[in-house]
Amino acid sequence: MTEAPPKVTLDLARDSGLTAEEYDRITSRLGREPTYAELGLFAALWSEHCAYKHSRAYLSRLPTEGPRVLQGPGENAGAIDIGDGWAVVFKIESHNHPSFIEPFQGAATGVGGILRDIFTMGARPIALLDSLRFGELDDPKTRRLVEGVVSGISWYGNCFGCPTVGGEVAFAPEYAGNPLVNVMCVGLVRADQIFRARAEGVGNPVFYVGNKTGRDGIHGATMASATFDESAAERRPTVQVGDPFTEKLLLEACLEAMKAGAVVGIQDMGAAGLACCTSEMPARAGTGMDVELSRVPQREVGMTPYEILLSESQERMLLVAGRGREDDVRRIFAKWELDAVEIGRVTAGGALTARLSGEVVAHVPVSLLADAPKYTKPTAPPGWLAERLAFDPLTLPEPPDYGEALLALCASPSIGSKEWVFRQYDQQVGINTLVLPGSDAAVLRVKGTPRALAVSTDGNGRHVFLDPRRGAAMAVCEAARNVSCSGATPVGVTDCMNFGSPERPEIRWQFAQAIDGIAEACRALEIPVVGGNVSFYNETSGQAILPTPIIGVVGVLEDAGRRATQWFKGAGHRVALLGLEHASLGGSEYLWRAHRRLGGRLAPLDLEAERKVQAAVRAAVSAGLVTAAHDCSEGGLAVALAEGCVTGREPVGLEAALDASGRGDHVLFGEGPSRVIVAVEPPRVREFEALMAESAIPWRWIGTTGGDRLVLRLGTKTIVDVALDRIERAWRSGFERHMA
Amino acid sequence: MKFRVLVRLKPGILDVQGAAVRKALAGLGFTEVSDLRVGKVIEIELDTATADAARARVGEMCRQLLANPVLEDYTIEMADDLARRGAVR
Amino acid sequence: MRFGVVVFPGTWSDCDFHYVISEVLHQPVKYVWHRERDLDDLDCVVLPGGFSYGDYLRAGAVAGRSPVVDALRDFVARGGHVLGSCNGFQILCEAGLLPGALMRNECLQYRCQSTHLVVENVETAFTRGLRPGQVLTMPISHGEGKYHADPEALRTLKARRQIVFRYGEADGRVTRTANPNGSLENIAGIVNPEGTVLGLMPHPERAAEAAMGSTDGLLLFQSLLGSLVEDGSFLKR
């Protein structure tokens, strides 16, 4: 047998990540010192990663309710009613720390984790999206990270059989020591067949299903709750290894068992593994759980109770079955060649009892495990902020040649084509993908209905760095605008909050401000937040990343046939700019690429105007009046127009006259919310004008498509006149030339 | 009894993975590598009365599943063979 | 015409083929579990795409030795038709039902993209409705699709006109740049000498509805339905 566990002391508690106050709270509530296994439970479940100690107080400010919401935050994933008895289930999650330590497996298991969150709700995953952030590509280490992360996502998603339909990839030096890997998954389920992670029904059997337990990933949750330092590379052994094949079997077996009516509740063994499931599931249902750890299938010998409880081996679930349905569960999992072992029962009394060969190794109230302290420590804006904001980009010289400046921006790796990434992902399995990666939002049909879903993820760390509140609100607006540009009505949000260490007041300030910004935007656009994830401690050696909330928005298209994509479809179409022409070079991609500066103020955000612009675009798309609709984001109006020209199957030229009141770089490359470009065929121009008048939004015609050049004028002065093949070459090679 | 099966692409079949690894090594300064091929190792433990019988069984496994005769060659090594060569700790 | 779509652990194009056969072609179709051997009530067996058994040893290696694939030999000998796409093609080669093998893509990366297929042989059950040189648009999605055959096997393939599709340009030229995975002579799909077992890397089920961007994949099924009606085998059963 294994040697006796170490004696539990305050020092040991500190080593496992608990503070003296927290340890004190545990001993006083228990009325005794915890056992070693119990200490492990508290260390994991009270870690920032599991307990959201520094963020819970703020997260409660987010709007989470709405007429379509079937499940808000607090479960494996959120769920929204989309009509005809169907619900969409979705969530975004980060896997930043594991991906930095081992890019391939870190990213792969990130995909695995979010897929399980979706199918534990009873939903079949239909789409993945990945928001990735890396340092600058001229560093070979960054290129290796990109290769590893992309091939890890590709391997897991493709082998499992869920298409990757969207996401974004951006580069900034602040992510060099701490890349971001955020994965969103979308699934479909009948609205009355949603499953939850609740251990209901005293006496019900508790099953362990899926892969065997090993020592991998022990302390993953506590690792995600600490910053990186030079020793990060040495932490490699705690990284889990993914098995997408077993996950696919787990999906089929779980859905089959659910359909058979044998499942009462189910939860993925993600962070903090078995410890998390055996305490959270009863805590949600007001029950307890009694489990025998020696029955847990193990692939290593001599594992201690501590290790069995805290292992983060992948592709495992805890399933509470209906009493009398034990054989059905075993039969279905055996059909899919998976372990399904009864390890315990749901009990009354609210305690988690863990035994090893009958002997009790942990006995704690689940309510105590679920009741980690909530911190609201003082916040303060960073000292450097005022200076950054005071910087006026217009004090910099204008570019000598606007055509060359536009080409350089199109060739920025953050803006250039990401085909190198997407062609490594299966984009179509399930035959639902109506709009493939490359437009503002991906569109997936819902078979058996006339509807489709549109999905987009967005976030801009530079904007949030300069103004967390407005920047985060703008991220919500942009993701929603992308969905609206496809013609769909945004119905739900999931957010992934990537920030530095919450132990510093300025990071807490950024976080609190960003949450307020998201809350405001979601209220104004009437889209509830139904789930998400907070990732703190994204810093290396004291250097925090750009604060980066990634916003995922799901929208519903009532008629899948009435949708729009971002590229121009042919010559002779009139092009209009909808929305306010407020933009700013502050925090823009241009300011960084051309001048290596990060400063200035963001453009103003008028949420009411944003709402109206989005409604107008949706109305125009659903009336079939526009042949293209494209959001203006990174790179400003000029890049949006260039993308309209070259991102389709055939390039289409354009001549346009832009607002002549500002300086060229400000008008062309300034970034701001609430702006959409659309293309309209001549016979529909009158109808379109009538609809815009009705929408009461600012808008104007700016040009006409045709030819093989992009020509932009400020008033009567031509400032850009570039051949499309040059733009296309710049855009296509912008990212890929680094990866050859 | 312990066996180690080495499965490699047949000579003459382009090993793209090997070529990529060789290029990567060259990039790290290992320019003296003139050839490199990537294969896979399959370790097998089995309970069989005699070494000859065991070797025959493993040979059968290779023919039926472990190697694809269109593409791959295999060699079978018994743990003893390896020990003699000093290949096993 | 009765179709069976085989499901191995790790298969994922099964639902897509099932949907196309039942909802687009309106033909009877059922799933066939990998342990089954009884294929008597079927006219055509589909081996769909996916990662059977994770493709952990070699793509299609374990599935190629499964009971249902073993039963295919009799099924084919009795005049049954088999369509293997993507992982299904890999399985057919691993099982020896088609010659050659599929190796890791030359670029060492997974490839999901649209491809153009140039039709070379129209005297198979799956292509008789097509014109020689006709160009079909169908997506691929695989990491191990580089077709390989030794010189002797390649000569036989050519002599028996077993090469059905090659990757080409939109205008039908077979070029090096149109080859997405480094396949020998741009080979994308082959048949058995009788023309009743087709294996191809592209996904016809993803090109079966206008909404998905192409309907060229349907042509394979329509050829098959046509040939079975004409020679009476469809009506006989």
Side-chain angles (χ1 to χ4, degrees):
Chain A
M1 256 321 282
T2 48
E3 53 196 279
K7 189 177 154 35
V8 175
T9 61
L10 175 58
D11 283 346
L12 189 63
R14 277 213 189 103
D15 284 350
S16 29
L18 294 166
T19 65
E21 296 76 48
E22 287 166 353
Y23 184 66
D24 202 42
R25 181 168 164 149
I26 294 165
T27 48
S28 73
R29 295 274 296 271
L30 278 180
R32 61 178 168 84
E33 303 274 315
T35 67
Y36 184 60
E38 288 169 347
L39 179 70
L41 293 175
F42 281 105
L45 292 162
W46 286 21
S47 69
E48 188 59 45
H49 188 73
C50 288
Y52 292 64
K53 287 183 286 196
H54 287 93
S55 58
R56 264 192 302 169
Y58 301 107
L59 294 172
S60 62
R61 299 180 190 173
L62 296 171
T64 58
E65 282 166 14
R68 287 173 180 262
V69 175
L70 299 173
Q71 178 63 58
E75 272 288 336
N76 285 314
I80 299 266
D81 192 336
I82 57 166
D84 286 339
W86 286 100
V88 59
V89 173
F90 58 96
K91 191 181 180 184
I92 190 165
E93 221 167 56
S94 65
H95 231 218
N96 307 338
H97 295 83
S99 302
F100 182 60
I101 293 175
E102 175 18 69
F104 182 92
Q105 289 295 346
T109 51
V111 175
I114 196 70
L115 283 165
R116 286 193 297 284
D117 280 338
I118 299 310
F119 70 79
T120 47
M121 299 287 290
R124 185 171 281 277
I126 59 161
L128 290 162
L129 299 92
D130 311 286
S131 278
L132 312 177
R133 297 290 183 277
F134 299 100
E136 298 278 8
L137 279 169
D138 36 29
D139 182 351
K141 264 191 288 194
T142 299
R143 295 199 291 272
R144 276 201 295 278
L145 272 174
V146 174
E147 270 169 359
V149 165
V150 170
S151 55
I153 292 170
S154 158
W155 175 64
Y156 205 105
N158 297 350
C159 183
F160 176 86
C162 183
T164 300
V165 300
E168 11 109 64
V169 193
F171 306 89
E174 292 85 352
Y175 302 108
N178 196 118
L180 302 186
V181 175
N182 290 185
V183 191
M184 176 171 171
C185 184
V186 180
L188 275 178
V189 62
R190 297 298 297 173
D192 57 356
Q193 302 284 314
I194 294 174
F195 283 80
R196 292 183 171 82
R198 298 167 67 92
E200 303 278 4
V202 170
N204 276 337
V206 175
F207 277 89
Y208 171 110
V209 300
N211 257 341
K212 294 189 190 333
T213 295
R215 289 194 173 92
D216 43 350
I218 291 174
H219 291 167
T222 43
M223 176 177 84
S225 308
T227 57
F228 283 135
D229 49 33
E230 300 305 318
S231 69
E234 287 160 27
R235 299 190 192 189
R236 217 176 267 267
T238 64
V239 168
Q240 316 92 313
V241 172
D243 179 358
F245 167 59
T246 298
E247 178 118 328
K248 162 73 173 164
L249 303 186
L250 204 49
L251 161 78
E252 299 299 343
C254 286
L255 294 188
E256 198 171 321
M258 288 166 172
K259 204 172 166 195
V263 180
V264 170
I266 182 164
Q267 183 169 343
D268 167 38
M269 285 190 230
L274 191 57
C276 192
C277 289
T278 51
S279 55
E280 285 185 1
M281 289 184 75
R284 286 195 193 97
T287 56
M289 207 175 262
D290 191 333
V291 295
E292 172 51 60
L293 298 179
S294 62
R295 288 198 206 142
V296 169
Q298 296 161 42
R299 63 178 154 76
E300 293 182 63
V301 289
M303 289 186 70
T304 64
Y306 181 96
E307 289 169 330
I308 296 168
L309 282 166
L310 294 177
S311 160
E312 291 188 5
S313 291
Q314 296 284 296
E315 292 90 19
R316 308 175 304 156
M317 305 265 193
L318 197 70
L319 181 156
V320 173
R323 218 176 324 171
R325 305 302 301 269
E326 291 87 342
D327 285 343
D328 294 322
V329 171
R330 284 190 203 99
R331 178 179 48 78
I332 290 166
F333 280 82
K335 173 187 162 190
W336 291 100
E337 302 173 21
L338 291 171
D339 277 327
V341 181
E342 196 180 327
I343 62 164
R345 295 262 157 189
V346 178
T347 56
L352 164 62
T353 309
R355 301 166 196 271
L356 189 71
S357 309
E359 189 190 328
V360 174
V361 294
H363 181 75
V364 263
V366 292
S367 56
L368 179 56
L369 286 168
D371 187 27
K374 227 194 262 191
Y375 297 127
T376 37
K377 295 184 185 169
T379 67
W384 43 257
L385 190 59
E387 195 190 325
R388 294 273 188 169
L389 290 176
F391 171 70
D392 178 3
L394 293 177
T395 56
L396 295 167
E398 282 188 70
D401 181 330
Y402 276 103
E404 293 301 322
L406 174 60
L407 287 169
L409 208 45
C410 288
S412 148
S414 295
I415 287 174
S417 166
K418 300 302 180 307
E419 199 192 324
W420 183 93
V421 174
F422 283 110
R423 72 186 177 210
Q424 298 187 52
Y425 302 152
D426 188 300
Q427 305 154 23
Q428 288 169 302
V429 57
I431 44 173
N432 298 317
T433 320
L434 301 177
V435 176
L436 298 169
S439 193
D440 284 337
V443 179
L444 297 122
R445 66 177 170 182
V446 180
K447 288 197 202 97
T449 78
R451 297 192 178 85
L453 299 173
V455 204
S456 177
T457 60
D458 286 286
N460 186 317
R462 286 196 194 105
H463 291 177
V464 180
F465 177 78
L466 292 173
D467 187 339
R469 188 167 183 153
R470 195 183 301 171
M474 278 163 52
V476 174
C477 293
E478 188 187 338
R481 206 181 315 123
N482 283 334
V483 163
S484 291
C485 282
S486 74
T489 306
V491 295
V493 164
T494 179
D495 61 326
C496 195
M497 309 292 288
N498 306 277
F499 286 77
S501 166
E503 285 153 35
R504 292 194 280 137
E506 69 270 25
I507 303 286
R508 294 196 294 268
W509 180 81
Q510 288 177 332
F511 183 80
Q513 289 279 306
I515 289 285
D516 285 341
I518 292 171
E520 283 162 10
C522 287
R523 284 210 176 84
L525 303 178
E526 293 172 49
I527 25 179
V529 180
V530 295
N533 172 235
V534 177
S535 172
F536 280 133
Y537 299 102
N538 289 289
E539 38 187 82
T540 299
S541 309
Q543 197 59 48
I545 57 159
L546 294 174
T548 313
I550 299 287
I551 305 296
V553 169
V554 174
V556 175
L557 206 57
E558 290 300 325
D559 177 353
R562 289 285 172 92
R563 60 179 189 265
T565 47
Q566 70 178 34
W567 43 85
F568 300 138
K569 307 297 184 297
H573 299 200
R574 303 277 304 273
V575 173
L577 172 64
L578 316 187
L580 300 166
E581 293 191 44
H582 288 159
S584 167
L585 286 174
S588 66
E589 181 71 14
Y590 170 78
L591 193 60
W592 175 252
R593 290 292 150 200
H595 299 289
R596 298 273 137 181
R597 295 296 286 264
L598 170 50
R601 290 187 178 273
L602 303 186
L605 170 62
D606 176 342
L607 287 167
E608 182 53 21
E610 178 74 42
R611 195 183 60 78
K612 281 189 181 165
V613 167
Q614 291 193 25
V617 176
R618 290 197 298 270
V621 174
S622 67
L625 295 178
V626 302
T627 54
H630 186 22
D631 153 54
C632 298
S633 58
E634 284 86 354
L637 185 53
V639 165
L641 293 171
E643 286 171 343
C645 292
V646 303
T647 57
R649 209 167 289 172
E650 298 290 335
V652 177
L654 172 73
E655 277 195 44
L658 309 180
D659 172 25
S661 63
R663 207 170 92 172
D665 47 359
H666 176 90
V667 174
L668 259 51
F669 310 128
E671 296 173 8
S674 319
R675 297 187 300 170
V676 171
I677 52 174
V678 296
V680 182
E681 281 184 290
R684 313 301 298 270
V685 161
R686 291 281 157 261
E687 229 179 310
F688 176 80
E689 287 174 341
L691 180 69
M692 287 304 110
E694 213 175 288
S695 309
I697 59 159
W699 76 282
R700 62 187 183 91
W701 294 114
I702 58 169
T704 305
T705 60
D708 56 4
R709 302 181 77 77
L710 173 62
V711 181
L712 300 177
R713 292 186 234 287
L714 287 195
T716 53
K717 189 181 162 212
T718 298
I719 61 167
V720 169
D721 183 355
V722 187
L724 291 186
D725 59 347
R726 288 189 71 201
I727 299 177
E728 188 173 358
R729 218 174 312 129
W731 176 74
R732 288 207 182 278
S733 67
F735 168 67
E736 198 168 334
R737 70 198 150 100
H738 296 279
M739 302 306 296
Chain B
M1 238 160 288
K2 268 192 188 167
F3 286 86
R4 179 176 290 184
V5 177
L6 302 175
V7 182
R8 274 166 296 215
L9 287 176
K10 285 179 174 174
I13 291 185
L14 176 67
D15 175 11
V16 278
Q17 212 180 343
V21 173
R22 192 171 65 132
K23 217 175 102 188
L25 282 175
L28 292 171
F30 297 100
T31 47
E32 69 272 37
V33 179
S34 59
D35 191 24
L36 185 154
R37 293 177 78 73
V38 173
K40 56 189 159 217
V41 175
I42 302 167
E43 290 182 338
I44 303 175
E45 258 187 80
L46 65 176
D47 299 321
T48 311
T50 68
D52 283 350
R55 191 179 279 273
R57 291 290 286 170
V58 174
E60 206 45 48
M61 291 175 200
C62 290
R63 276 184 291 281
Q64 283 190 31
L65 178 66
L66 301 183
N68 179 343
V70 178
L71 298 175
E72 295 166 329
D73 276 340
Y74 59 87
T75 53
I76 302 170
E77 295 174 334
M78 199 160 62
D80 287 352
D81 309 345
L82 297 170
R84 224 172 292 134
R85 283 193 350 221
V88 164
R89 273 172 289 175
Chain C
M1 177 165 185
R2 290 156 305 176
F3 286 87
V5 177
V6 178
V7 184
F8 299 99
T11 297
W12 46 232
S13 286
D14 47 346
C15 301
D16 298 352
F17 271 106
H18 195 283
Y19 178 84
V20 167
I21 294 166
S22 74
E23 304 303 311
V24 182
L25 292 159
H26 306 293
Q27 297 295 316
V29 56
K30 65 169 192 175
Y31 290 110
V32 179
W33 189 238
H34 62 108
R35 292 211 185 89
E36 284 179 38
R37 287 180 177 275
D38 181 3
L39 305 172
D40 282 351
D41 58 345
L42 299 173
D43 301 298
C44 178
V45 171
V46 176
L47 298 180
F51 284 67
S52 54
Y53 296 94
D55 282 353
Y56 285 162
L57 179 66
R58 287 185 311 280
V62 179
R65 284 134 184 103
S66 60
V68 71
V69 170
D70 195 40
L72 281 181
R73 292 172 215 281
D74 267 357
F75 176 76
V76 172
R78 283 182 283 118
H81 289 74
V82 180
L83 171 64
S85 156
C86 192
N87 197 220
F89 185 18
Q90 295 162 338
I91 292 167
L92 288 170
C93 288
E94 277 285 345
L97 283 158
L98 289 175
L102 292 141
M103 302 172 65
R104 193 143 178 213
N105 292 350
E106 204 156 72
C107 60
L108 294 175
Q109 287 177 349
Y110 198 93
R111 277 289 179 274
C112 178
Q113 63 185 67
S114 180
T115 61
H116 299 293
L117 302 180
V118 184
V119 181
E120 190 153 310
N121 180 350
V122 295
E123 287 161 24
T124 80
F126 298 92
T127 54
R128 47 177 291 160
L130 304 175
R131 281 177 289 105
Q134 189 172 342
V135 179
L136 310 182
T137 302
M138 263 182 239
I140 56 163
S141 183
H142 59 248
E144 301 187 33
K146 177 186 174 181
Y147 184 74
H148 169 85
D150 62 37
E152 172 73 41
L154 181 64
R155 269 195 298 278
T156 313
L157 277 175
K158 285 179 176 167
R160 294 179 180 168
R161 311 205 50 232
Q162 285 176 258
I163 300 167
V164 181
F165 302 117
R166 292 186 203 260
Y167 299 108
E169 307 283 349
D171 61 9
R173 284 174 306 126
V174 175
T175 62
R176 207 181 145 71
T177 49
N179 190 341
N181 52 24
S183 278
L184 177 70
E185 297 197 0
N186 288 40
I187 291 173
I190 58 172
V191 281
N192 62 344
E194 295 74 30
T196 55
V197 178
L198 171 68
L200 76 168
M201 284 315 293
H203 285 266
E205 82 284 9
R206 296 184 183 186
E209 297 163 275
M212 300 306 294
S214 166
T215 53
D216 290 352
L218 280 187
L219 299 174
L220 308 188
F221 288 99
Q222 282 158 353
S223 292
L224 180 62
L225 290 171
S227 53
L228 292 187
V229 170
E230 225 168 281
D231 74 9
S233 56
F234 181 24
L235 305 170
K236 221 159 40 199
R237 297 213 191 187

